[in-house]
Amino acid sequence: MGKGKFKGKPTGRRNFSTPEEMIAGTSARPRTFKQQEKAEQEEEEEIKEESEEDSEEETEGRKGIQGIIQIENPNLVKPKTMKARQADSERTTELSRREREEIEKQKAHERYMRLQEQGKTEQARKDLERLALVRQQRAEAAKKREEEKAAKEQKRAETRK
């Protein structure tokens, strides 16, 4: 058993590559980042070369009438090119459903508030009835206080005589 940092483990021993293996590239160690990049670039180049060959074959395959006739896809939507003058004059601003609903909601709220101020809504009528009732109760309470105050003063005046 070794001592220190590199102790023997049940999974196996550490393997070190020799300088000869490193030069030959047959090392058991994984490839370095640069070597991996080179390998990826080589693969990409191969793919590009293959695609170029395929595209050349496709152009060669269109000989005779096929090169003249263009088959159009009826489902393909082609973008229409318009001049700026045409776009501004012909285009009407269409609002989305959410925008329309938001505007309608604001207008309905404004209309309701106007009716509320005029006292034409059911809620406004109930509020006005409550307000009238409260005013009446306050007036009665003030009248009663005045009467009690007058009665007290009258008693005091009688007791002083």
Side-chain angles (χ1 to χ4, degrees):
M1 278 313 261
K3 291 183 179 179
K5 187 174 180 183
F6 304 113
K7 295 182 179 178
K9 296 184 180 175
T11 56
R13 298 200 165 120
R14 290 177 58 92
N15 296 325
F16 296 97
S17 54
T18 62
E20 293 84 27
E21 288 176 337
M22 290 174 69
I23 293 170
T26 58
S27 158
R29 296 185 67 193
R31 290 182 173 177
T32 61
F33 184 70
K34 289 182 181 178
Q35 289 175 343
Q36 288 177 353
E37 274 188 357
K38 287 179 185 176
E40 289 174 3
Q41 287 176 354
E42 290 173 2
E43 291 174 6
E44 289 176 4
E45 289 174 4
E46 290 175 5
I47 293 171
K48 287 180 184 177
E49 290 174 1
E50 290 175 6
S51 64
E52 289 175 2
E53 291 173 2
D54 292 341
S55 63
E56 289 174 6
E57 291 174 6
E58 289 174 4
T59 55
E60 291 174 2
R62 290 185 161 201
K63 293 182 180 177
I65 300 173
Q66 291 181 357
I68 299 170
I69 299 173
Q70 294 179 354
I71 300 171
E72 292 185 21
N73 183 354
N75 298 328
L76 181 66
V77 178
K78 295 179 181 177
K80 295 180 181 179
T81 56
M82 298 179 71
K83 293 183 179 177
R85 285 184 239 126
Q86 293 173 345
D88 291 338
S89 62
E90 293 176 5
R91 184 176 171 223
T92 58
T93 55
E94 295 181 17
L95 301 173
S96 67
R97 179 184 57 84
R98 288 183 180 165
E99 291 171 341
R100 268 186 278 120
E101 288 176 356
E102 185 65 29
I103 291 170
E104 289 173 5
K105 185 178 176 183
Q106 288 175 353
K107 286 182 181 178
H109 182 68
E110 290 172 6
R111 193 177 327 111
Y112 180 79
M113 293 309 288
R114 265 190 257 117
L115 291 173
Q116 184 84 357
E117 289 173 2
Q118 295 171 0
K120 293 183 179 178
T121 62
E122 189 69 29
Q123 186 178 359
R125 290 184 191 127
K126 289 179 182 177
D127 289 343
L128 290 173
E129 288 175 8
R130 264 189 254 119
L131 182 63
L133 183 65
V134 168
R135 283 183 180 162
Q136 183 183 2
Q137 289 174 349
R138 286 182 182 169
E140 289 174 2
K143 190 176 182 182
K144 188 176 178 183
R145 271 188 252 117
E146 288 291 323
E147 289 176 0
E148 288 176 1
K149 197 175 192 182
K152 278 186 180 179
E153 286 185 21
Q154 197 174 24
K155 274 188 177 179
R156 283 185 187 166
E158 288 178 8
T159 57
R160 289 186 184 170
K161 286 187 183 179

